């Protein structure tokens, strides 16, 4: 209970970075859009970046990065997916229906958010046979892990989760702002732009503080508070036993 709020906040921040890189929501352009589009169309971006390595092409808009509809709908999908992940990972047969329902809701939310805000991703997904094979595989693994002794079920679940993340990046074709700039802007530029690196550092520090806060709170509750109560009960029981023994001797 203590760890849950911290985990959700950390997950939301991480999800916000993920969705912003692929969608462009929360990523501002310090150069005029027409200039960026022109440079991209003429394949001169590498030349410009080489000649002016300190140029700030992008800058973070933190409020927009976190508080945009696509980010929140996608995050709800991630939360639903975590429920499926937990059921499949531990093979909880009694929760199979919950796992299947959560997985279905996650898929609907992922597709709906992509359809509304990232149409390129949606079209690439639904038109790809591999995507549907992947979806069916999730349900198969869920059933086998909860009803049969599926060997290495944890490895299967982790592998499918990793493939899902890789697939989402593949469906974006490695670009952001595809609806604004013809052909989009390579998402890899966000990884080398100074202002975005600074934004990433701030986010990582914030995640670290929250994670440490969560670990500290849980450690206090489990390792200290509960242990202290247990020690008090044992001491009280020992004192009571010694008193009873002394009374019998008398």
């Amino acid at each position: 209970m203590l760890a849950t709020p911290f985990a959700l906040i950390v997950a939301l921040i991480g999800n916000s970075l993920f969705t912003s890189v692929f969608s462009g929501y929360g990523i501002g352009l310090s150069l005029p859009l027409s200039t960026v589009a022109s440079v991209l169309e003429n394949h001169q971006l590498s030349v410009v970046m080489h000649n002016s390595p300190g140029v700030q092409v992008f800058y973070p808009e933190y409020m927009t990065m976190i508080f945009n509809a696509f980010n929140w709908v996608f995050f709800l999908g991630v939360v639903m997916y975590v429920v499926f992940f937990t059921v499949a990972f531990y093979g909880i047969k009694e929760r199979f229906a919950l796992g299947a329902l959560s997985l279905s809701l996650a898929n609907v939310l992922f597709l709906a958010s992509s359809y509304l805000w990232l149409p390129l991703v949606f079209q690439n997904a639904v038109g790809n046979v591999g995507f549907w094979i992947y979806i069916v595989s999730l349900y198969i693994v869920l059933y086998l892990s909860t009803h049969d002794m599926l060997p290495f079920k944890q490895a299967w679940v982790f592998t499918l989760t990793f493939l899902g993340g890789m697939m989402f990046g593949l469906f974006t074709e490695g670009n952001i702002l595809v609806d604004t700039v013809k052909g989009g802007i390579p998402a890899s530029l966000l990884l080398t732009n100074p202002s975005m690196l600074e934004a990433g550092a701030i986010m990582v520090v914030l995640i670290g503080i929250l994670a440490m806060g969560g670990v500290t709170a849980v450690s206090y509750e489990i390792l200290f508070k509960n242990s202290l109560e247990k020690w008090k009960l044992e001491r009280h029981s020992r004192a009571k036993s010694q008193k009873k023994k002394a009374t019998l001797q008398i």
Side-chain angles (χ1 to χ4, degrees):
M1 290 176 65
L2 285 169
T4 298
F6 293 97
L8 286 174
I9 294 173
V10 169
L12 176 61
I13 294 174
N15 185 78
S16 300
L17 287 171
F18 177 83
T19 58
S20 292
V21 168
F22 289 113
S23 69
Y25 295 114
I27 307 298
L29 286 171
S30 53
L31 298 176
L33 188 59
S34 57
T35 301
V36 176
S38 175
V39 170
L40 286 170
E41 289 175 0
N42 295 325
H43 305 287
Q44 296 175 340
L45 185 61
S46 59
V47 177
V48 172
M49 297 295 288
H50 178 74
N51 294 333
S52 305
V55 64
Q56 302 294 317
V57 180
F58 306 104
Y59 67 90
E61 297 175 337
Y62 294 107
M63 293 299 291
T64 306
M65 185 179 290
I66 295 176
F67 298 102
N68 68 82
F70 171 65
N71 183 44
W72 282 89
V73 174
F74 196 90
F75 178 65
L76 289 175
V78 171
V79 173
M80 291 297 101
Y81 187 88
V82 169
V83 177
F84 148 78
F85 183 96
T86 304
V87 174
F89 184 88
Y90 292 106
I92 310 172
K93 185 175 182 179
E94 296 78 11
R95 295 291 183 268
F96 168 75
L98 176 63
L101 176 61
S102 299
L103 178 58
S104 300
L105 287 173
N107 291 330
V108 169
L109 289 169
F110 290 150
L111 288 173
S113 61
S114 300
Y115 175 78
L116 292 173
W117 293 287
L118 290 179
L120 176 68
V121 176
F122 178 80
Q123 293 168 9
N124 289 344
V126 297
N128 191 305
V129 177
F131 172 73
W132 297 110
I133 294 175
Y134 167 76
I135 293 297
V136 172
S137 299
L138 291 174
Y139 287 97
I140 292 175
V141 168
L142 173 64
Y143 180 84
L144 292 179
S145 65
T146 54
H147 287 75
D148 293 309
M149 293 300 293
L150 179 66
F152 309 109
K153 59 187 174 186
Q154 288 82 3
W156 281 106
V157 176
F158 269 114
T159 301
L160 289 173
T161 302
F162 173 76
L163 288 177
M166 294 292 291
M167 198 176 294
F168 187 86
L170 177 65
F171 291 154
T172 64
E173 298 182 353
N175 294 327
I176 64 170
L177 301 174
V178 292
D179 296 323
T180 309
V181 179
K182 183 180 179 181
I185 296 175
S188 58
L189 290 179
L190 295 178
L191 305 177
T192 56
N193 187 266
S195 60
M196 293 309 300
L197 287 173
E198 181 182 348
I202 293 173
M203 289 292 194
V204 169
V205 169
L206 183 58
I207 289 174
I209 292 173
L210 289 169
M212 288 304 298
V215 170
T216 303
V218 173
S219 298
Y220 171 79
E221 181 69 23
I222 297 176
L223 300 179
F224 177 75
K225 192 175 179 181
N226 284 356
S227 297
L228 182 63
E229 292 295 327
K230 184 178 179 181
W231 176 76
K232 287 180 178 180
L233 287 173
E234 289 178 349
R235 188 178 67 172
H236 178 72
S237 178
R238 196 182 307 115
K240 189 176 181 180
S241 176
Q242 290 176 349
K243 184 178 181 180
K244 184 178 180 180
K245 186 178 180 180
T247 303
L248 289 175
Q249 289 177 345
I250 293 173

